[in-house]
């Protein structure tokens, strides 16, 4: 059976930085012989964890999984049974986007048992990757976002496997910088980033897609 890799896009913008990274990763997976599907979180009608604790109920029929039924329910099932998963998110206010955070609550909270060391009961050890896109540059991101990255990736590692990390810094934010109030970012520098750096980032995503597909195919 073809190996299935789901790429969760936590950006509301189609055809922008995060979406393009997802598409490039998907192309790598497909070229290497796997199946890739991009899940656009902002197309799905769902909310975060309701704190119902059905996932922790002794002998409960939904023990270890989210029992709340909405648009995310089939996605959670798909991800849990996949061969690989990618979490891609822009950085909003120093964090993952709201939609990605809501997915994280619903996907991961049921997996961690309330026992010493929070052991995971995730059904499958999937291959994983994370993609972050952000406005700030690499130097600032290293100072500001390492805790965020490490914390998020810790959950992923305990439940599934240690993720490959791909960061896209200093992203191009608007189609035309002249139309927006934006005095602190230099449009020529941003344009240079988009034309010279972003293609390299896309290539990195493509290569990571190839690598993940090869790993799951050769397992
Ligand atoms: C609401 C909002 C908050 C943001 N906060 C941050 C931030 O804290 N740090 C940062 O580096 N970029 C921030 N950005 C910029 C985005 O992370 C960046 O432009 C990203 O590449 C957008 O991804 P997209 O092109 O896929 O939409 C923010 C953008 C928005 C819309």
């Amino acid at each position: 059976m073809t190996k299935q890799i789901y790429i969760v896009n936590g950006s509301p913008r189609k055809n922008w930085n995060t979406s393009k990274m997802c598409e490039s990763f998907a192309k790598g997976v497909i070229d290497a012989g796997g199946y890739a599907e991009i899940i656009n979180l902002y197309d799905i009608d769902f909310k975060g964890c309701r704190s119902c604790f059905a996932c922790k109920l002794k002998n409960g029929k939904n023990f270890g999984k989210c029992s709340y039924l909405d648009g995310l329910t089939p996605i959670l099932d798909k991800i849990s049974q996949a061969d690989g998963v990618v979490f891609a998110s822009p950085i909003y206010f120093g964090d993952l986007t709201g939609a990605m955070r809501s997915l994280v609550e619903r996907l991961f909270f049921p997996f961690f048992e309330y026992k010493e060391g929070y052991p995971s009961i995730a059904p499958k050890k999937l291959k994983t990757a994370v993609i972050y896109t952000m406005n700030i540059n690499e130097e600032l991101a290293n100072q500001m976002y390492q805790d965020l990255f490490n914390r998020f990736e810790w959950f992923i590692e305990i439940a599934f496997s240690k993720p490959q990390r791909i960061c896209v810094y200093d992203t191009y934010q608007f189609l035309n910088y002249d139309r927006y109030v934006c005095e602190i970012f230099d449009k020529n520098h941003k344009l240079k980033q988009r034309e010279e750096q972003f293609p390299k980032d896309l290539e990195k995503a493509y290569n990571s897609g190839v690598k993940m597909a090869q790993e799951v195919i050769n397992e």
Side-chain angles (χ1 to χ4, degrees), residues 9 11-20 89-95 132-137 144-145 168 170-173:
N9 177 17
S11 170
R13 297 202 296 179
K14 304 260 174 68
N15 290 321
W16 277 84
N17 299 285
T18 317
S19 299
K20 293 250 181 270
S89 180
I91 300 299
Y92 280 7
F93 286 101
D95 210 326
Y132 308 108
T133 76
M134 66 208 85
N135 182 50
I136 62 171
N137 64 28
M144 294 169 63
Y145 297 153
V168 183
D170 216 349
T171 53
Y172 198 75
Q173 294 197 84

Side-chain angles (χ1 to χ4, degrees), residues 109-216:
F109 186 67
F111 291 158
F112 292 100
E113 281 194 285
Y114 273 1
K115 290 181 178 171
E116 190 62 38
Y118 296 99
S120 164
I121 51 170
K124 221 173 149 189
K125 289 285 170 199
L126 337 176
K127 295 284 178 221
T128 60
V130 287
I131 298 171
Y132 308 108
T133 76
M134 66 208 85
N135 182 50
I136 62 171
N137 64 28
E138 181 169 4
E139 194 188 343
L140 269 177
N142 285 337
Q143 289 168 27
M144 294 169 63
Y145 297 153
Q146 290 310 304
D147 281 355
L148 164 73
F149 298 161
N150 291 337
R151 190 165 21 105
F152 180 39
E153 290 163 30
W154 184 83
F155 291 122
I156 298 171
E157 181 172 357
I158 302 296
F160 297 143
S161 63
K162 190 173 172 58
Q164 301 175 52
R165 181 191 295 177
I166 307 166
C167 288
V168 183
Y169 308 103
D170 216 349
T171 53
Y172 198 75
Q173 294 197 84
F174 327 107
L175 223 38
N176 181 351
Y177 271 68
D178 293 331
R179 289 188 60 214
Y180 296 86
V181 179
C182 181
E183 294 173 5
I184 52 174
F185 307 121
D186 177 58
K187 73 171 178 183
N188 293 321
H189 167 77
K190 285 288 186 186
L191 194 60
K192 191 161 177 271
Q193 276 294 112
R194 190 179 71 165
E195 287 178 353
E196 292 177 15
Q197 181 56 42
F198 194 52
K200 293 180 194 158
D201 297 327
L202 291 173
E203 197 182 338
K204 210 185 273 181
Y206 176 86
N207 290 336
S208 293
V210 170
K211 182 166 170 262
M212 186 183 284
Q214 286 171 342
E215 282 172 0
V216 295

Side-chain angles (χ1 to χ4, degrees), residues 37-51:
E37 185 177 320
I38 297 174
I39 297 167
N40 289 303
L41 284 186
Y42 281 84
D43 287 348
I44 302 168
D45 189 9
F46 77 103
K47 291 199 165 61
C49 174
R50 302 298 181 110
S51 198

